[in-house]
């Protein structure tokens, strides 16, 4: 008897069923197929039904994983235009010269990688011959993110093209002589060839996504039509383990970046062994990308497999391919036909029968050589489908063999990433396999020769004709001739010179106010690119929302909840602000794309990226190195900076070290300004240096890092001091003396020089007053706007001295004649001011906020770290007492007086 209170099955389903009888018929049909033909047939029918529904546009959750076969059937592959035999010969020469270059360099112990390009050669050659648009065509051409470990193959092709010489190949990884080649794609080292640095793995895929997005940003804002540009990112399957590699997949799909293609070289190996030994990396990646909304194309098997799939009338082969883990696929690559017959085919009667129809040679051809990524026809079909797909980015999962054509000693061996050379016999075997016209006599004294068919050979003519048709050589970096940007109106900067009067203003607010004025400039305002990781309100930038708009390719499809407010949340297709959500890595990728637009697109943009200083360099310093390598220009703003200024937030928000990390980057000009007028002067100089008329010999390929604070304080007027602008830019100037500060110290009073940066200068000014009024000590206060620029200048002076040139470091010039010892203080660890200690002639001491941060009031935190005004006084008295200029008892008295 049915319980009337029991929950019925229909009640468990929130989806209404208007025809339960029809639903039951479908379910019964599935049960019948399962019983009669087995679960594999039922799964097949379900998969085909779902695929049909997806193709018809029926809104269903997408299949996350398909069978382990090619997405594009052989019958649907388009013919490859051009001369496949010619392209085969070109690829052979490239394979040879890439291996020769690394092997010849191995005698110097400089390393190199052979196996990666060997697996990916056709992935590149097909693109170079048929898809990659060069910089000399209309528009900006394509952007190519080359897998770093494949660089020898790219050099080999440039050699064939006449862009590199044999001497340069012989100087691979030996750059100091001036005619060498960098190990990986490094634009700073080879700026005419490499456009994007990629070998810090994971950063390439992330940057490629944001580059594709920035291309759309330029178009939607009316800066430049980039619709013809396509971003190609060549990646390794092992590289996809890096969190940055997949961090922005959803963004690319959400914004429908069909101008982006990932090509993942799935050779199933990373540096030490299999990528997924017990699993299948292709299937994992397919599910990940499909789940994120990407179009996925699998190019796994070569044409030799077509016969096997035709023989597979039961689906046993497809099931077995799904079952075999990657490490076993790798093992098949190194074993004989008997092993493969037993291990792969032997466990299933249908497969065993199939194997009887296959010769040993056929089995070895399939399992040793035939991969989709090694055949021009398969790769061309995938690329063509990718560029023709609309509405989503595409990822191509191309299966290859790592070390392909390098011989049995390399192919699929776990150690092949570290193997740097082939023997002469291995080269001769490779020559025979590739069919190259290289004679035994060309191996002089056991040295492998480079190969070149001749500058006027059919191969070189074909290569150059194909590149000419596609818009010139590739890869290539071009800095288009663009006029320097005109300087903004002086009033935007001069308005800060008068100070804030009685109003308290944080330097963060001063910077935001300056930007508000600069983006209104008629000449350059539209070129500013404000970037913020979901903290605009923290930095007081919400007033920019309605005036500039937040970039969204879909505009604003809703009515914002705060529409009736003056500073409402406005999204727009032509919005200027890039508000990236909580992703510092994504924001940095934005910054890199914008900061290098002068080269990528011939459009100078002025990005500024403002962030919690603690979550800038500490979290994304690798990308900032990438920025320097890519020759980016712009302003990084570490806001709410310092270890003691961000009250209440505590340890993880308390930045006491970002200037230390920034100082390690040769392209970063790091400033810690104390006052609003200093911020204005530094930004003005940065605009001149990076975007205006550069001085002779001046490197424009730098970026600025400014730390600004959230502590509202009175902003003084700019002092009328000779050379103050030079001092602000170079890193040090005297803000006042005891006398100019209105303090009248006793005659012959001991004197000390207090150097402070950022917010610390306010503690120094208070200490100046205490020293005079309570201890009879005269103190002069200096603003150290940049400890690292002072150090950089001093290092250059040291280098000049080694060359026999006499040059005094600026810090020594500035402090020359200053009486008494020097005491430096900042809101950072002492290592920050101590950068310049060895070039200061006076006695040196420093204070800083070393250790972990903590939650408390600013006053308590500063007392905890011993950097507040009273601690400065005690430290100053101790310095003077050590010199015999004050009584030793004064130090003890001061400690007691101030409760230290």
């Amino acid at each position: 008897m049915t319980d009337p209170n029991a929950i019925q099955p229909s009640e468990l389903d929130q989806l209404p069923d208007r025809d339960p009888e029809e639903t039951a018929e479908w379910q019964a049909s599935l049960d019948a197929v399962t019983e009669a033909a087995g679960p594999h047939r039922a799964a097949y029918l379900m998969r085909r039904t779902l695929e049909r529904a997806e193709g018809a546009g029926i809104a269903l959750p997408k299949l996350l994983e398909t069978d382990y076969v090619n997405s594009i059937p052989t019958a649907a592959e388009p013919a490859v235009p051009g001369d496949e035999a010619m392209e085969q010969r070109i690829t052979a020469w490239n394979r040879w010269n890439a291996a020769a270059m690394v092997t010849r360099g191995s005698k110097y112990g400089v390393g190199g990688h052979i196996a990666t390009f060997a697996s990916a050669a056709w992935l590149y050659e097909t693109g170079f011959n048929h898809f990659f648009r060069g910089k000399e065509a209309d528009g900006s051409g394509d952007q190519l993110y080359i897998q770093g470990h494949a660089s020898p193959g790219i050099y080999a092709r440039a050699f064939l093209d006449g862009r590199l010489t044999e001497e340069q190949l012989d100087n691979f990884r030996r750059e100091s002589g001036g005619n060498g080649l960098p190990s990986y794609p490094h634009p700073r080292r080879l700026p005419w060839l490499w456009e994007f640095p990629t070998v810090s793995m994971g950063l390439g895929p992330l940057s490629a996504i944001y580059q594709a997005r920035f291309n759309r940003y330029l178009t939607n804002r009316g800066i430049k039509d980039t619709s013809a540009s396509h971003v190609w990112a060549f990646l390794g399957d092992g590289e996809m383990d890096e969190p940055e590699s997949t961090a922005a997949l959803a963004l690319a799909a959400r914004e429908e970046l069909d101008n982006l293609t990932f090509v993942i070289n799935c050779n199933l190996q990373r540096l030490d062994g299999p990528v997924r030994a017990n699993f299948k990396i292709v299937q994992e990646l397919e599910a990940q990308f499909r789940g994120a909304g990407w179009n996925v194309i699998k190019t796994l098997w070569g044409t030799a497999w077509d016969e096997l799939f035709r023989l597979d009338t039961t689906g046993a082969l497809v099931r077995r391919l799904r079952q075999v883990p990657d490490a076993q696929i790798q093992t098949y690559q190194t074993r004989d036909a008997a092993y493969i017959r037993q291990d792969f085919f032997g466990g299933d009667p249908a497969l065993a029968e199939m194997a009887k129809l296959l010769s040993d040679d056929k089995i070895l051809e399939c399992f040793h050589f035939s991969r989709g990524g090694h055949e021009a026809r398969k790769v061309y079909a995938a690329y063509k489908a990718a560029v023709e797909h609309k509405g989503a980015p595409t990822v191509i999962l191309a299966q290859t063999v790592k070390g392909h054509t390098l011989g049995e000693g390399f192919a699929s061996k776990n150690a092949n990433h570290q193997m740097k050379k082939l023997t002469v016999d291995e080269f001769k075997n490779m020559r025979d396999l590739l069919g190259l016209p290289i004679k035994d006599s060309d191996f002089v004294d056991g040295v492998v020769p480079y190969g070149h068919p001749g500058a006027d050979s059919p191969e070189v003519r074909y290569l150059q004709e194909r590149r000419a048709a596609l818009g010139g050589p590739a890869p290539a970096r071009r800095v288009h001739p663009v006029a320097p940007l005109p300087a903004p109106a002086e009033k935007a900067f001069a308005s800060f010179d008068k100070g804030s009067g009685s109003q308290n203003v944080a330097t963060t607010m001063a910077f935001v106010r300056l930007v508000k004025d600069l983006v209104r400039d008629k000449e350059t305002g539209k070129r500013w690119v404000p970037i913020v990781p979901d903290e605009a309100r923290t930095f007081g930038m919400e007033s920019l929302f309605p005036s500039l708009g937040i970039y969204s390719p879909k505009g604003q499809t809703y009515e914002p909840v705060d529409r009736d407010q003056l500073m409402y949340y406005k999204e727009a297709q032509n919005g200027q602000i890039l508000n990236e959500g909580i992703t510092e890595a994504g924001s940095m990728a934005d910054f890199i794309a914008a900061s290098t637009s002068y080269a990528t697109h011939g459009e100078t943009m002025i990005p500024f990226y403002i962030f919690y200083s603690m979550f800038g360099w500490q979290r994304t310093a690798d990308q900032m190195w990438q920025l320097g390598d890519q020759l980016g220009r712009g302003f990084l703003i570490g806001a709410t900076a310092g270890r003691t200024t961000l009250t209440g937030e505590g340890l993880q928000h308390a930045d006491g070290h970002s200037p230390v990390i920034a100082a390690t980057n040769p392209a970063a000009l790091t400033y810690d300004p104390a006052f609003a007028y200093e911020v204005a002067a530094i930004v003005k100089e940065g605009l001149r240096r990076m975007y205006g008329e550069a001085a002779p010999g001046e490197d424009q390929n730098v970026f600025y890092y400014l730390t600004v604070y959230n502590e509202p304080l009175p902003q003084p007027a700019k002092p009328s001091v000779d050379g103050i602008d030079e001092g602000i830019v170079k890193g040090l100037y005297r803000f006042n003396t005891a006398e100019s500060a209105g303090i009248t110290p006793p005659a012959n009073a001991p004197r000390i020089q207090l150097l402070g940066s950022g917010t610390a200068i306010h503690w120094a000014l208070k200490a100046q007053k205490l020293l005079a009024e309570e201890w009879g000590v005269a103190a002069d206060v200096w603003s150290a706007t940049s400890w690292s620029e002072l150090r950089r200048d001093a290092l250059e002076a040291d280098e000049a001295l080694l060359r026999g040139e006499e040059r005094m470091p600026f810090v020594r010039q500035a402090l020359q004649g200053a009486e008494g010892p020097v005491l430096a203080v900042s809101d950072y660890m002492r290592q920050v001011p101590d950068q310049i200690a060895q070039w200061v002639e006076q006695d040196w001491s420093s204070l800083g906020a070393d250790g972990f941060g903590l939650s408390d009031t600013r006053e308590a935190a500063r007392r905890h770290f011993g950097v507040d005004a009273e601690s400065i006084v005690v430290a100053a008295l101790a310095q003077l007492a050590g010199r015999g200029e004050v009584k030793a008892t004064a130090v003890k008295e001061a400690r007691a007086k101030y409760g230290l």
Side-chain angles (χ1 to χ4, degrees):
M1 181 175 178
T2 303
D3 182 357
N5 297 316
I7 298 175
Q8 301 304 308
S10 60
E11 296 179 56
L12 295 174
D13 190 348
Q14 296 184 44
L15 299 177
D17 189 345
R18 67 182 184 183
D19 193 341
E21 185 175 344
E22 181 184 37
T23 303
E25 290 175 357
W26 277 73
Q27 291 171 336
S29 297
L30 180 63
D31 292 341
V33 170
T34 303
E35 183 176 352
H40 295 306
R41 178 62 180 169
Y44 175 86
L45 291 175
M46 287 299 300
R47 186 176 297 277
R48 287 291 177 261
T49 301
L50 289 170
E51 288 173 349
R52 182 63 173 263
E54 182 180 328
I58 298 173
L60 286 173
K62 290 188 175 182
L63 290 171
L64 293 186
E65 189 179 318
T66 61
D67 287 321
Y68 202 66
V69 297
N70 294 348
S71 301
I72 303 172
T74 300
E77 292 168 359
V80 180
D83 186 334
E84 287 191 59
M86 184 69 73
E87 293 176 21
Q88 182 82 41
R89 293 202 296 274
I90 292 171
T91 305
W93 285 117
N94 292 340
R95 288 181 182 280
W96 177 273
N97 287 324
M101 174 173 51
V102 176
T103 298
R104 287 166 68 118
S106 66
K107 66 180 180 181
Y108 300 105
V110 294
H113 302 283
I114 303 176
T116 294
F117 176 74
S119 66
W122 275 112
L123 301 180
Y124 291 107
E125 192 60 36
T126 303
F128 285 132
N129 286 325
H130 302 287
F131 291 94
F132 304 157
R133 296 178 68 253
K135 305 299 183 183
E136 296 168 8
D138 293 339
S140 305
D142 288 353
Q143 286 85 53
L144 308 180
Y145 287 77
I146 303 294
Q147 189 180 0
H149 293 131
S151 63
I154 308 305
Y155 290 141
R157 195 174 199 276
F159 170 63
L160 207 65
D161 193 12
R163 303 169 73 201
L164 291 175
T165 66
E166 187 171 314
E167 180 188 3
Q168 287 174 297
L169 295 191
D170 256 354
N171 284 319
F172 173 61
R173 292 194 170 198
R174 294 191 299 136
E175 300 177 74
S176 60
N179 198 30
L181 299 177
S183 53
Y184 302 123
H186 292 307
R188 187 169 286 274
R189 289 302 185 202
L190 203 60
W192 60 268
L193 181 73
W194 297 122
E195 195 167 17
F196 305 105
T198 55
V199 85
S200 187
M201 287 189 284
L203 300 190
L206 179 69
S207 294
I209 290 173
Y210 281 89
Q211 181 65 58
R213 185 193 191 222
F214 189 75
N215 291 357
R216 291 280 173 84
Y217 171 89
L218 290 176
T219 298
N220 288 333
R221 286 199 55 214
I223 302 292
K224 183 174 184 177
D225 182 1
T226 64
S227 56
S229 290
H230 199 89
V231 177
W232 299 82
F234 288 84
L235 317 168
D237 47 0
E239 180 178 8
M240 302 312 292
D241 285 347
E242 292 284 3
E244 296 91 347
S245 295
T246 55
L249 297 186
L251 166 71
R254 184 169 66 245
E255 300 203 358
E256 301 178 355
L257 298 179
D258 50 26
N259 61 339
L260 170 67
T261 297
F262 277 14
V263 181
I264 302 182
N265 178 16
C266 297
N267 58 34
L268 312 185
Q269 290 182 247
R270 51 189 177 198
L271 308 189
D272 287 333
V275 178
R276 294 289 183 272
N278 296 297
F279 306 94
K280 302 189 81 61
I281 185 60
V282 168
Q283 301 299 90
E284 179 182 319
L285 291 175
E286 178 184 27
Q288 196 167 14
F289 278 86
R290 281 185 180 276
W294 286 54
N295 175 44
V296 178
I297 299 174
K298 293 198 291 191
T299 302
L300 308 180
W301 308 111
T303 53
W305 283 82
D306 289 349
E307 179 183 344
L308 276 67
F309 288 120
R310 283 194 299 271
L311 294 171
D312 183 29
T313 58
T314 66
L317 176 62
V318 174
R319 289 196 298 274
R320 181 63 176 142
L321 288 174
R322 284 175 60 86
Q323 294 168 355
V324 179
D326 285 352
Q328 191 64 21
I329 293 287
Q330 182 182 344
T331 298
Y332 294 149
Q333 177 69 35
T334 64
R335 298 299 179 90
D336 60 19
Y339 177 89
I340 299 171
R341 284 182 187 277
Q342 176 63 35
D343 191 86
F344 182 83
F345 294 97
D348 185 296
L351 289 180
E353 288 300 312
M354 179 191 297
K356 292 177 182 179
L357 303 175
L358 304 175
S359 67
D360 285 356
D361 286 345
K362 181 66 178 181
I363 288 176
L364 292 179
E365 181 186 11
C366 288
F367 284 86
H368 284 195
F369 302 105
S370 186
R371 300 292 187 273
H374 295 325
E375 295 188 14
R377 180 173 177 175
K378 304 293 185 183
V379 176
Y380 181 87
Y383 286 7
K384 188 172 188 292
V387 297
E388 291 177 353
H389 185 83
K390 300 303 177 187
T394 294
V395 59
I396 296 169
L397 302 175
Q399 185 162 274
T400 65
V401 175
K402 192 166 186 176
H404 183 58
T405 73
L406 297 180
E408 294 181 359
F410 263 84
S412 286
K413 294 299 178 66
N414 280 336
N416 63 16
H417 192 79
Q418 278 71 38
M419 295 162 70
K420 313 301 182 187
K421 59 184 178 180
L422 278 70
T423 66
V424 169
D425 286 342
E426 287 171 329
F427 266 110
K428 290 178 179 178
N429 290 335
M430 181 182 177
R431 171 201 61 191
D432 296 340
L433 176 66
L434 297 176
L436 292 173
I438 296 173
K439 302 185 294 292
D440 286 354
S441 59
D442 292 334
F443 291 80
V444 179
D445 297 327
V447 177
V448 57
Y450 292 118
H452 199 293
D456 195 39
S457 64
E459 292 92 338
V460 173
R461 288 201 307 271
Y462 180 89
L463 181 157
Q464 293 175 342
E465 287 167 3
R466 292 305 309 140
R467 287 313 314 158
L470 287 166
R477 180 178 181 273
R478 296 285 185 269
V479 179
H480 305 263
V482 292
L485 293 183
E490 180 63 28
K491 65 179 181 181
F493 306 102
S495 62
F496 293 90
D497 291 352
K498 61 185 179 182
S500 64
S502 60
Q503 182 183 9
N504 288 341
V505 177
T507 50
T508 297
M509 296 301 102
F511 175 80
V512 171
R513 182 185 139 192
L514 174 61
V515 168
K516 288 178 182 177
D517 291 339
L518 292 175
V519 296
R520 295 191 190 103
D521 185 83
K522 292 181 180 179
E523 296 289 335
T524 60
K526 70 176 182 179
R527 299 194 174 275
W528 283 86
V529 183
I531 303 168
V532 59
D534 201 38
E535 289 282 5
R537 298 182 194 279
T538 300
F539 308 134
M541 293 174 60
E542 62 267 34
S543 62
L544 296 177
F545 289 170
S547 59
L548 300 184
I550 299 166
Y551 173 71
S552 169
K554 293 187 179 297
Q556 193 155 36
T557 61
Y558 60 93
E559 183 178 355
V561 67
D562 54 359
R563 182 62 183 86
D564 57 342
Q565 298 178 14
L566 181 63
M567 293 183 286
Y568 72 97
Y569 195 83
K570 177 186 175 183
E571 294 189 82
Q573 190 176 32
N574 64 347
Q576 194 163 350
I577 301 169
L578 293 172
N579 192 325
E580 292 304 355
I582 306 174
T583 168
E584 288 83 3
S587 300
M588 266 307 301
D590 263 338
F591 187 89
I592 292 170
S595 71
T596 54
S597 182
Y598 72 92
T600 308
H601 293 295
E603 293 289 346
T604 301
M605 306 301 286
I606 311 171
F608 80 86
Y609 164 34
I610 188 167
F611 49 87
Y612 263 110
S613 71
M614 183 66 166
F615 306 130
W617 286 88
Q618 174 166 303
R619 177 164 280 181
T620 59
D622 197 11
Q623 286 177 285
M624 289 155 177
W625 198 268
Q626 178 189 12
L627 166 66
D629 193 357
Q630 200 168 317
L631 309 174
R633 306 168 183 173
F635 296 96
L636 298 176
I637 310 299
T640 58
R643 181 147 279 164
T644 69
T645 59
L646 190 56
T647 55
E649 294 286 0
L651 186 153
Q652 285 194 325
H653 286 65
D655 170 25
H657 52 277
S658 70
V660 177
I661 307 175
T664 65
N665 192 308
L669 279 62
T670 303
Y671 287 88
D672 186 26
F675 305 122
Y677 67 81
E678 293 178 354
V679 172
I682 294 164
V683 171
K684 179 182 177 181
E685 169 63 11
L687 290 172
R688 180 207 65 78
R689 176 167 178 174
M690 293 185 291
Y691 304 105
E693 293 284 357
E698 191 172 43
D699 185 5
Q700 287 188 284
N701 298 316
V702 296
F703 60 92
Y704 283 66
Y705 174 53
L706 279 70
T707 49
V708 292
Y709 299 83
N710 69 327
E711 185 174 11
L713 291 165
Q715 295 297 326
K718 186 176 182 179
S720 298
V721 177
D722 289 341
I724 186 171
D725 289 330
E726 180 188 26
I728 292 172
V729 171
K730 289 191 171 182
L732 184 66
Y733 69 94
R734 182 155 46 193
F735 176 74
N736 69 17
T737 63
E739 291 76 13
S740 66
I743 301 168
T744 308
N748 300 319
R751 188 171 291 268
I752 192 169
Q753 309 298 319
L754 302 179
L755 278 57
S757 69
T759 197
I761 202 168
H762 296 281
W763 322 330
L765 289 169
K766 182 179 178 183
Q768 180 189 47
K769 186 176 181 182
L770 292 174
L771 282 167
E773 294 178 351
E774 300 182 7
W775 305 99
V777 172
D780 301 336
V781 176
W782 300 69
S783 179
T785 54
S786 180
W787 308 101
S788 61
E789 283 304 291
L790 292 172
R791 175 180 175 82
R792 185 168 290 164
D793 170 81
L795 289 172
E796 290 173 358
D798 286 356
E799 292 171 5
L801 186 62
L802 290 175
R803 297 190 300 267
E805 305 169 19
E806 291 289 342
R807 186 167 76 77
M808 184 182 293
F810 180 79
V811 62
R812 188 169 295 170
Q813 293 178 43
L815 290 171
Q816 196 168 32
E819 298 178 37
V822 168
L823 174 60
V825 61
S826 79
D827 203 16
Y828 300 94
M829 55 196 301
R830 287 175 61 178
Q831 186 175 340
V832 174
D834 284 349
Q835 291 179 80
I836 65 170
Q838 73 184 82
W839 293 281
V840 174
E841 293 182 315
Q842 293 87 344
D843 290 343
W844 173 271
S845 185
S846 64
L847 297 174
D850 286 78
F852 288 112
L854 75 167
S855 301
D856 214 314
T857 64
R858 292 185 179 114
E859 293 75 15
R862 286 160 189 169
R863 176 55 59 92
H864 170 80
F865 287 109
V867 292
D868 60 350
E870 291 79 7
S871 298
I872 294 173
V873 169
V874 172
L877 293 174
Q879 263 191 294
L880 292 168
R883 293 162 56 95
E885 296 180 24
V886 300
K887 294 180 180 179
T889 55
V891 181
K892 184 176 181 180
E893 292 170 9
R895 288 198 193 100
K897 180 180 179 70
Y898 301 132
L900 295 178

